[in-house]
Amino acid sequence: MNSSRILILAICTVTLATPVPLSAQDVCLTDAPFGKGIPVQTNPRKIRREIVVLPDGRRIVQEREELAIVNLASAWTPGQRIYVQFVDDDPDEDLVDKVIGNARKWESYLNLRFVFVDLDRSLDEYKIDKAHIRISFRGSGHWSRVGTNSTDEDNPNRPSMNLDLGSYSSDQEIRRVALHEFGHALGFYHEHQSPRGGINWKQPDAMDYYLEKTGWSRQRVQKNIFDPIDENEVTVSAFDRNSIMLYPIPPELTRDGFSVGWNTELSSTDINAAAAVYPSSVDSVGKARVRIAPSWLASGVMVVSLLDNSPYARLRQFGDNSQTWKLELGDVITQVNGKKVTGPRSYFDAVSNQNGRLVIRVRDIRTGKDMDFTAR
């Protein structure tokens, strides 16, 4: 508790003659067509935490092993319906169903709703001119436009996302690719391009490796893998080696032996970031002035952010009035006045019947310990 985390979003391919930090204006990201089965060994490392005070006064906790990157200018509006259409003629229905199932894993943690256009229905039946996200399986490589940039294309049949998948693709590959590309469509950048990622690349070995694996030009590899995102246009926390948005990195490509294998599931930081950018509910019932979302850490509701004058910013530990505590992003409220909280509905039920007394039990995001507080 006591400090806030910060986030980041999304991706496209822009080839430049001179490497420069990737701007949020570069609205599409192409993903490398790596060969299958890259031999990567896990390299366990200790998490190093440090509190950093930014020039605008914000405090963040940087952790060597955790990060999310988000450009809020490309984020959708929380609560928005996002229409998604498969634009190919006669696509593989089994493949479509698998992609939809995996995309909905993101939906479980954020306040957006994907509306997938039925293959046998027209856009007119949905009373829209163009789907927000348009998916094809027929292009080369995996890529997606970033967040709301998906809507920039005027042609309703031109894809904003391509998934180079087919009946030959394994369920694991479909899951990995669908989660990754929908992450871009939600606004997430690649983890390895974080301005605070600190990957100590071993050059020219790393460049030569990705040139061979991707078949890209040198400028394109530099742009999509090594150039950091422009920190002036995004909000950033710390590096997450488990993020679905991270490429595999063999240990021989880094000077310190850092390595990452294929990530095939959403990490806790991915989930945390999605819930923070697209918060579910605001507690106006209990007047706690807090944004909450369903929790991934424990049964309860996760704190996304505190609004101005929130009593959750001046808590007293139950039985100890010696110091003031403040909830932070990721803390989970598991009980209110002794009543178990399982989600937003049970939370609102509990705070609406507080009778002037508010005692909450919180699972601390940092320590994993349960702590009891009184709100003032």
Side-chain angles (χ1 to χ4, degrees):
M1 300 178 192
N2 283 343
S3 64
S4 301
R5 297 195 177 191
I6 302 180
L7 312 173
I8 313 185
L9 290 103
I11 305 178
C12 221
T13 300
V14 178
T15 302
L16 300 178
T18 304
V20 296
L22 180 65
S23 167
Q25 299 303 314
D26 300 334
V27 294
C28 180
L29 188 71
T30 300
D31 289 303
F34 296 110
K36 296 181 176 63
I38 297 176
V40 179
Q41 298 177 351
T42 301
N43 180 29
R45 307 175 73 184
K46 294 181 179 179
I47 294 177
R48 176 172 56 85
R49 290 190 176 100
E50 57 185 3
I51 295 177
V52 178
V53 180
L54 301 180
D56 61 2
R58 288 177 297 164
R59 300 172 72 229
I60 64 171
V61 176
Q62 289 202 93
E63 299 177 353
R64 173 65 175 171
E65 300 296 335
E66 299 180 340
L67 171 64
I69 313 176
V70 179
N71 178 354
L72 295 178
S74 297
W76 306 92
T77 302
Q80 184 176 354
R81 288 175 176 261
I82 308 298
Y83 287 88
V84 184
Q85 182 184 26
F86 295 87
V87 296
D88 297 337
D89 294 331
D90 194 27
D92 184 322
E93 292 188 22
D94 183 56
L95 181 58
V96 167
D97 288 343
K98 290 179 179 179
V99 169
I100 291 175
N102 284 292
R104 291 206 184 280
K105 293 180 179 179
W106 277 110
E107 191 182 44
S108 300
Y109 301 102
L110 46 77
N111 187 15
L112 291 176
R113 288 296 171 262
F114 294 130
V115 179
F116 290 92
V117 175
D118 290 343
L119 298 179
D120 57 354
R121 296 179 64 184
S122 68
L123 294 179
D124 291 340
E125 295 180 66
Y126 291 86
K127 299 181 180 180
I128 58 173
D129 297 325
K130 178 183 67 176
H132 297 97
I133 299 172
R134 301 163 308 284
I135 302 174
S136 175
F137 296 110
R138 296 182 178 174
S140 176
H142 311 306
W143 54 265
S144 175
R145 295 183 73 83
V146 175
T148 55
N149 294 299
S150 299
T151 65
D152 288 349
E153 177 58 53
D154 291 333
N155 186 343
N157 296 314
R158 186 167 181 175
S160 63
M161 179 189 299
N162 191 78
L163 307 177
D164 196 353
L165 301 168
S167 58
Y168 50 83
S169 302
S170 67
D171 287 349
Q172 184 182 72
E173 182 182 14
I174 294 170
R175 179 173 67 252
R176 173 179 60 79
V177 172
L179 288 174
H180 185 101
E181 298 309 331
F182 268 87
H184 291 323
L186 290 170
F188 285 87
Y189 280 110
H190 282 146
E191 290 292 324
H192 53 270
Q193 291 183 279
S194 166
R196 299 192 187 129
I199 298 177
N200 191 7
W201 295 105
K202 183 180 180 182
Q203 299 291 12
D205 297 18
M207 173 63 78
D208 292 343
Y209 174 86
Y210 289 112
L211 284 172
E212 178 183 355
K213 289 292 181 181
T214 64
W216 292 346
S217 68
R218 185 174 295 273
Q219 290 84 359
R220 191 171 176 184
V221 170
Q222 182 69 39
K223 188 68 178 177
N224 282 278
I225 297 179
F226 301 124
D227 281 348
I229 306 298
D230 187 344
E231 190 167 1
N232 292 323
E233 300 190 26
V234 293
T235 38
V236 192
S237 67
F239 185 75
D240 177 15
R241 66 176 302 139
N242 298 313
S243 174
I244 193 65
M245 308 310 296
L246 182 63
Y247 279 173
I249 303 173
E252 59 268 22
L253 301 187
T254 59
R255 296 190 180 280
D256 55 3
F258 174 77
S259 65
V260 178
W262 282 114
N263 293 332
T264 61
E265 299 285 357
L266 298 178
S267 72
S268 59
T269 304
D270 294 332
I271 293 169
N272 215 351
V277 176
Y278 303 106
S280 177
S281 308
V282 176
D283 174 12
S284 56
V285 177
K287 299 181 180 180
R289 298 187 57 75
V290 58
R291 292 187 185 276
I292 59 173
S295 169
W296 50 266
L297 179 65
S299 177
V301 292
M302 183 181 70
V303 174
V304 172
S305 63
L306 301 183
L307 307 184
D308 291 341
N309 300 317
S310 171
Y312 287 170
R314 49 184 188 278
L315 297 170
R316 298 285 186 178
Q317 191 169 3
F318 193 71
D320 180 5
N321 291 322
S322 62
Q323 59 180 318
T324 300
W325 296 77
K326 176 182 179 180
L327 298 189
E328 65 172 320
L329 171 61
D331 287 339
V332 178
I333 300 172
T334 61
Q335 287 185 21
V336 174
N337 290 343
K339 296 181 179 179
K340 185 176 181 181
V341 174
T342 58
R345 177 171 296 181
S346 61
Y347 171 82
F348 288 128
D349 287 344
V351 297
S352 64
N353 295 293
Q354 60 178 284
N355 296 320
R357 175 178 180 269
L358 187 60
V359 178
I360 60 174
R361 176 164 293 174
V362 178
R363 178 73 54 85
D364 188 353
I365 184 63
R366 299 179 185 281
T367 65
K369 295 181 179 179
D370 291 328
M371 305 175 70
D372 292 330
F373 297 98
T374 57
R376 295 175 180 270

